[in-house]
Amino acid sequence: MRELNMDTQRQNFWKESINNEVTIRNRWFQQHMSTGFSEPSEQTKPRKVIKVQPLQMKALPVLEKEAPATVLPTVEVPAKSETEMRVASATTKQLLYTGLSAEGEGRKAYLVQRRCKNPEDKFQFPLTSALEVGWKIREVGKKGEGKPAQFGRSRIVQDTFFRTNGCF
């Protein structure tokens, strides 16, 4: 572990102890180099392996019991009005079966087509609270109930003040 508050005396102590370890390691290597590493010593010789007979297990008697008949509950198929998402049109469905997604066709084209539809056209009712916020917003705009924001950005401010080509 490294200590942060090491003074010169402590640093010299660590340096000397590391050098001592290196010299001891080198001395041991020189002494044992002459004997060679190919002859195994008493400690490294393989031990005798005792052969053990495999365990023989007796077969368990089979109990014959009749399993009670499990009755699965019936699943009710939701009515057409209860389904969450409306069915895609035939032309949109046909996109699934033509081309490859990697080329921008197939499933990818289908998903792009479905993404372009408004949520009101895709779903029967709003599924989340985020969808509830903007649900049927176009009808509100047609009635004239919504008015533009008083201090919202106007086209003049966007064209004259904001830059469209990056930082400069």
Side-chain angles (χ1 to χ4, degrees):
M1 180 197 269
R2 181 178 170 198
E3 295 182 24
L4 297 176
N5 56 354
M6 291 185 74
D7 57 348
T8 308
Q9 185 179 7
R10 190 131 174 126
Q11 281 181 332
N12 290 336
F13 167 76
W14 276 105
K15 191 188 301 183
E16 186 178 338
S17 64
I18 290 171
N19 288 336
N20 285 341
E21 289 177 11
V22 169
T23 55
I24 291 171
R25 196 177 307 126
N26 287 338
R27 191 177 310 138
W28 181 90
F29 183 74
Q30 289 173 353
Q31 288 173 355
H32 292 85
M33 182 69 176
S34 61
T35 60
F37 295 105
S38 61
E39 299 175 12
S41 64
E42 289 293 325
Q43 295 174 349
T44 59
K45 283 186 180 176
R47 298 179 183 166
K48 280 188 173 180
V49 178
I50 301 171
K51 293 184 179 179
V52 179
Q53 296 292 330
L55 184 62
Q56 296 177 359
M57 298 182 69
K58 296 178 182 177
L60 295 174
V62 178
L63 300 175
E64 294 182 18
K65 288 185 179 179
E66 291 184 23
T70 56
V71 179
L72 297 175
T74 58
V75 178
E76 296 179 16
V77 178
K80 188 164 184 144
S81 63
E82 294 178 14
T83 57
E84 295 173 352
M85 191 173 230
R86 291 187 177 133
V87 180
S89 65
T91 56
T92 308
K93 272 189 184 178
Q94 190 59 34
L95 291 174
L96 280 171
Y97 306 107
T98 56
L100 301 172
S101 292
E103 297 172 353
E105 299 174 350
R107 182 172 181 263
K108 185 172 183 178
Y110 169 79
L111 292 173
V112 167
Q113 185 73 23
R114 285 294 276 184
R115 187 181 64 202
C116 292
K117 288 187 124 187
N118 294 328
E120 296 91 15
D121 299 333
K122 288 190 279 189
F123 300 104
Q124 300 281 346
F125 51 88
L127 299 175
T128 62
S129 59
L131 284 177
E132 288 177 8
V133 172
W135 198 256
K136 303 287 184 188
I137 194 76
R138 296 189 195 281
E139 293 177 6
V140 173
K142 288 179 185 176
K143 292 178 183 176
E145 294 175 10
K147 49 187 170 181
Q150 182 180 358
F151 299 106
R153 291 183 184 168
S154 64
R155 191 75 189 157
I156 297 170
V157 172
Q158 285 179 350
D159 290 339
T160 59
F161 182 74
F162 294 105
R163 296 184 177 137
T164 59
N165 60 351
C167 296
F168 300 106

